Amino acid sequence: MSKRVAIVCGTGIATSTIVAEKVKKGLQKRGVTADIFQCKIIELASHAANIDLVVSTTFVNNKLSVPVISAINLITGIGEEEVLDQIAEHLR
């Protein structure tokens, strides 16, 4: 069963779409498979029991039992590969 990754932003539309595409391509390049979906920050708690990792462009009050990785680097492009490596490592 593949691991589930929530790509989170304020609205679940704009920046999460950019990040989701970069994560999909980055994981594929690294030979890692995952079920990636987008959601709004306010929806995150309702998905918490069914996810393995959160990648977020906004602040996450980390009361979740899963790791949270900031996706700001995937928006700015600075340090992008390092963040993709970190995401892949959490999913291995």
Side-chain angles (χ1 to χ4, degrees), residues 4-79:
R4 297 196 73 211
V5 180
I7 309 292
V8 181
C9 72
T11 63
I13 300 170
T15 56
S16 65
T17 300
I18 294 166
V19 170
E21 285 304 310
K22 288 186 176 189
V23 170
K24 286 176 190 173
K25 289 178 184 174
L27 291 178
Q28 185 176 34
K29 177 180 168 185
R30 289 159 176 81
V32 176
T33 58
D35 177 19
I36 297 170
F37 69 97
Q38 296 168 233
C39 69
K40 300 175 191 174
I41 188 71
I42 61 170
E43 300 170 336
L44 186 56
S46 67
H47 295 289
N50 300 313
I51 56 177
D52 299 290
L53 179 66
V54 175
V55 178
S56 181
T57 65
T58 190
F59 175 75
V60 174
N61 183 352
N62 196 4
K63 292 183 180 178
L64 304 172
S65 61
V66 297
V68 177
I69 295 176
S70 173
I72 297 302
N73 299 61
L74 299 176
I75 300 296
T76 66
I78 300 168

